[in-house]
Amino acid sequence: MKHSLRQSMAWLHTWSGLLAGWLLFVIFVGGTIACFDRELDDWARPSLHDLAGPQPTRFDAGFARVREHAPDAHVWWAHVSGERKRGMEAFWFNDDGSEGQVLLDPRDGEPIPASGPGQFFFQLHYDLHAGLWGMYLVGFTGMLMMVALVAGVITHKKIFKDFFMLRWRGGGQRAWLDGHNLAGVLGLPFHLMIAYTGVAIFAASYIFGGTQAAYGGDVEKFYAEAGGFYERPEVGRPLPSLHSVDALVADAERRMGARVEWASIHHPADASAMISFGTDHSRRIAWDMQQVHYDAATGAFVHQSAPATAGYDTYAFLGGLHMAQFGGAPLRWLYFVLGLAGCVMLATGMQVWVRKREQRVAAAGALSGYGLVRALNVGVVAGMPFACAAMLVANRLLPAGLPDRAGAEVAAFWIAWIAAAAWGAIRERSGRGWRDLFAATALAMAAIPVANLAGAPRSHLFASAARGDWALAAVDLVAIGFALAFAAIAARLHRRLAPA
């Protein structure tokens, strides 16, 4: 039994942080990169980099391609190209839960090789690529993060004073703890907000009681009433013909007073099918949920969504605050920097746990629980950045015509991470795991602009900077910055390991 509130909170902070730490690190890295998910996806598609300015909408071409893959899908969906992405993305979702995607050139509607590292990291952030159970795990981990943050503030009574006391020269536990305090205080309000809103986004999926009691478990009816969504039930008759979607865009933009961002067709094979349009979420914090709907056979206007209820608008505000689609590039950079602070806070916090128990770790051996924690720390914290860099290098080195090229890039990520984690765990037995992986990550980060220069003549740093395409240039510049940072850390660790 603990003897004081601070002691109880110290115990709670340590174990909630440790148990969730590795997952939280993965979630934070994925979310931090996903601040620029569209820009990263755009960077990964060099065949579109000679495009400049807005492109005409080609929903008809997109849906024609989707029909080839899934004529009887539950819904077809397509997003136009825009300022943050040059390609047109078309999706389909089937009644059995399966789905698919095709990436199109907005100039002619022709398919181009799919590649989406930004979307990969975005999905890693919210469900770990594990579907519904992954989403539950992320939500539970987010709750543990809130517990750890609150307990940490109570535990560290001098946390704000220690924020100004950086003692890097000595190394060891004190340096890790100072880094943990610095990153924790720097981003504390942001980290609390991001943890709370991240959990709140999927609240309806975690808490079943309300929808079960009020709607008999009919989640679609709940969203229809709360958010103003609209859909007609199927009638079981085939759709005679599909009206031109592109021909309705101008009327949809006039009714909504904003540029159309996406179009969808629910039940495209049924006579009940409707063509729906919606806008993006960049104009205000709360998601812009307004939509207009047209009869898919005649093109006649059917319905415009009503304003959402106050409760749903609050939910949309929390979701928009988490997703950061508003505010433009400056806000996304702020989220990116504070996200990096969260990654540092988690990494240093877990390493503090190991450093405080160095003697017990050494006595217990590599195959003990302490040894496992030490190996997981280096494998997750130092291995994942290497895997991220390897994925982007693979994007430039893999043949353009490779079947399932996007899948090969994802495979490169997992293989690189597994290999790095195994190497780090083995080398950490002699205290060299962190140095080796940070040095390897520095080389992998430096390889990104080199591979870009060699494999994409219109996309490398010099070409994109010369024409003022700073969204593309930023990927290379950030990679160079990380290469220098990881090289500096690796050099410092090497000097500490060198004999006196």
Side-chain angles (χ1 to χ4, degrees), residues 108-134:
D108 53 20
E110 290 297 312
I112 62 174
S115 178
Q119 182 60 33
F120 170 81
F121 288 113
F122 175 70
Q123 189 171 348
L124 183 70
H125 172 67
Y126 77 83
D127 73 357
L128 304 172
H129 291 275
L132 184 63
W133 288 107

Side-chain angles (χ1 to χ4, degrees), residues 161-492:
K161 179 181 177 181
D162 288 347
F163 175 77
F164 299 98
M165 298 177 64
L166 298 178
R167 290 155 285 191
W168 297 106
R169 292 184 180 275
Q173 180 188 336
R174 185 71 257 176
W176 287 109
L177 184 57
D178 283 348
H180 182 66
N181 289 339
L182 173 63
V185 176
L186 179 67
L188 180 61
F190 173 79
H191 299 148
L192 283 169
M193 179 276 292
I194 215 72
Y196 176 76
T197 55
V199 172
I201 287 174
F202 294 109
S205 300
Y206 304 141
I207 306 170
F208 310 104
T211 53
Q212 189 66 42
Y215 296 93
D218 189 343
V219 178
E220 290 188 6
K221 184 178 179 182
F222 160 68
Y223 279 115
E225 289 190 13
F229 300 109
Y230 182 79
E231 184 178 344
R232 295 192 300 199
E234 292 185 82
V235 295
R237 299 191 305 273
L239 182 70
S241 62
L242 178 62
H243 190 277
S244 170
V245 180
D246 292 339
L248 301 173
V249 169
D251 185 71
E253 292 182 337
R254 179 184 63 80
R255 292 179 184 275
M256 293 189 295
R259 180 176 181 266
V260 161
E261 162 68 14
W262 56 264
S264 68
I265 306 175
H266 279 74
H267 316 305
D270 191 83
S272 65
M274 286 193 309
I275 299 169
S276 304
F277 297 97
T279 64
D280 66 8
H281 303 311
S282 64
R283 296 185 299 160
R284 60 192 185 112
I285 298 178
W287 291 326
D288 190 345
M289 308 305 295
Q290 65 170 323
Q291 300 175 28
V292 288
H293 309 273
Y294 299 82
D295 186 278
T298 65
F301 173 74
V302 175
H303 180 79
Q304 182 161 3
S305 59
T309 61
Y312 196 88
D313 223 24
T314 301
Y315 163 77
F317 179 88
L318 294 175
L321 199 60
H322 187 89
M323 297 283 195
Q325 297 302 300
F326 64 99
L331 185 76
R332 287 192 292 277
W333 278 114
L334 177 62
Y335 271 53
F336 182 81
V337 171
L338 292 174
L340 287 179
C343 297
V344 172
M345 175 188 68
L346 291 163
T348 52
M350 290 182 290
Q351 195 61 8
V352 165
W353 189 94
V354 172
R355 289 290 187 176
K356 287 178 69 174
R357 294 159 178 81
E358 278 187 307
Q359 292 184 345
R360 277 180 277 177
V361 170
L367 299 181
S368 67
Y370 289 125
L372 177 62
V373 171
R374 187 181 181 188
L376 282 171
N377 272 354
V378 68
V380 173
V381 174
M384 188 179 180
F386 175 79
C388 295
M391 186 180 192
L392 299 192
V393 172
N395 171 267
R396 287 299 189 258
L397 297 184
L398 290 171
L402 182 70
D404 191 19
R405 194 171 185 275
E409 293 173 12
V410 172
F413 172 86
W414 294 117
I415 292 170
W417 195 0
I418 291 170
W423 177 267
I426 293 170
R427 293 286 285 169
E428 186 60 9
R429 296 177 68 177
S430 60
R432 291 170 170 80
W434 290 94
R435 181 204 64 181
D436 288 4
L437 289 191
F438 282 156
T441 302
L443 291 173
M445 290 290 179
I448 293 173
V450 174
N452 197 16
L453 179 65
R458 285 193 55 81
S459 308
H460 59 75
L461 175 59
F462 303 114
S464 54
R467 64 176 183 268
D469 197 340
W470 293 107
L472 289 181
V475 177
D476 284 356
L477 291 172
V478 170
I480 292 170
F482 276 124
L484 294 173
F486 279 110
I489 299 172
R492 180 175 179 81

Side-chain angles (χ1 to χ4, degrees), residues 26-48:
V26 173
I27 293 165
F28 252 77
V29 171
T32 300
I33 297 174
C35 290
F36 293 100
D37 57 341
R38 294 184 182 181
E39 289 81 1
L40 191 57
D41 283 346
D42 197 29
W43 178 90
R45 301 160 182 172
S47 61
L48 299 178

